[in-house]
Amino acid sequence: MPQLNAGLSPATASARAAPLGKAPRDPRIDVFRGLALVMIFINHVPGNPYEYLTIRNLGFADAAEAFFLMSGIAAGLAYTPRFIERDRVTYGLWRAVAPLWKRAWSLYVVQIVLSAVALGIFATAFQIITEAEFLTKINMRQVFQNPTQALIGIPLLTHQFGYVNILPAYSVLLICAPAAIMLGLRWPWLLFALSLTLWLLTGVFRLNLPNYPNPGGWFFNPFAWQAIFVFGLLVGLSQRQGYRFFPASRALFWLSVAVLLGILAWKYVPGLGKFLNLQMHHLREAGVPFNLTSHDKTYLSAPRFVHILALGYFLSQLPSVTRFAAHRVASPFQLIGRHGLLIFASGTVLALICQTAMLAQPKAVWMVWVLPALGTAALFAIALLAETSRRVLSAPTTPLERQPVISGSGFEKTSIVEARP
């Protein structure tokens, strides 16, 4: 990312950044967020050949980790200025906190709507096909077999359906984001250390938010996944102040390359993955924390965490990536990334429809090729429609004035006519 006041301390950079207005959008954030959203949609339609083109084939992390990282960076860039001391003293703390909590509420509302739509999709499929498996897919069994408790859990976010479970964790992180931003502005390395400590303790003590009525905890565990979000947040808030939290370093660049190559070897070199996984098992038996010695997604295991950090750092240091993000070839993904919540919600609905169609017609091989492609095209069309609507609604309007018009009945009424210059 382009840097301002590079090399300044956080406190000095914060003071200088206080009068800054709205920062220009970095196209890379929208492009990579758009790519992550498309990959999430494709991965949410299991069994299609396009899955081989997604990030999870490059290592252990998948598009969800990329989405959380991009969301943290975007949050740091968007919300940091209002928390800077000069702005906070002038306008008050609530002006800074309110947009984050309003966004968290929007995510909650979308989560409830998506849950209802998911129930409707699978219930409709059952009505048409009359196959009982539609009532037990993606953790829906409790709703149809134990509706009283399940319908308590859905609004409490303790009962979440498969493929409809990212937004609750993100909403919790946005609620906590004001405290993280304020700490990060003053003591960024303390925030870094606390985040890593919480991630580690989460694996040691298996911390999680509760499920109800099911046992266990959230699939996207906020105590663990906060680490990716906070790392992205530190990148965004430092960028907004004009310095780099993670410095541009040749040594770090080649370290990230070595990590990425090592992970590819772990995943694809015959016998190596089995050997390394066995060593991790031995370490776990010796008492090394669970999230350091597994590939678990819920607790954001170290292999997944390190993979997404190395990949993010590697891509951020390549000038060719910056040029690509600004090129018209990347504009569809940039457009999708600008409307993240709408596209995620739309992609979730489309993915569930594709799932039910493929379950209903398992012998229709053409579906695994056609439905994901059509769904991806639909996501771009939705983003294009949203962007067009935004531009139309934000365009300056011609001033209007009211002029009297005499009706045939003799009573005066008014009508809107265009004011001429």
Side-chain angles (χ1 to χ4, degrees), residues 5 8-20 84-86 241:
N5 304 325
L8 296 180
S9 68
T12 304
S14 177
R16 292 192 184 184
L20 290 179
I84 292 174
E85 185 176 3
R86 186 180 304 179
Q241 295 176 89

Side-chain angles (χ1 to χ4, degrees), residues 146-195:
N146 185 20
T148 302
Q149 292 181 328
L151 293 177
I152 293 173
I154 289 174
L156 292 178
L157 302 182
T158 61
H159 188 68
Q160 301 167 17
F161 302 133
Y163 307 105
V164 194
N165 49 12
I166 292 180
L167 293 183
Y170 187 26
S171 180
V172 169
L173 295 179
L174 286 182
I175 291 173
C176 300
I181 292 175
M182 293 185 67
L183 181 60
L185 284 172
R186 190 70 180 269
W187 298 294
W189 283 104
L190 177 59
L191 175 61
F192 176 87
L194 290 175
S195 177

Side-chain angles (χ1 to χ4, degrees), residues 357-387:
M358 291 163 60
L359 285 171
Q361 299 292 332
K363 296 182 179 180
V365 180
W366 63 270
M367 283 189 178
V368 301
W369 290 92
V370 174
L371 293 184
L374 289 177
T376 302
L379 293 181
F380 173 69
I382 292 168
L384 185 61
L385 181 62
E387 185 71 12

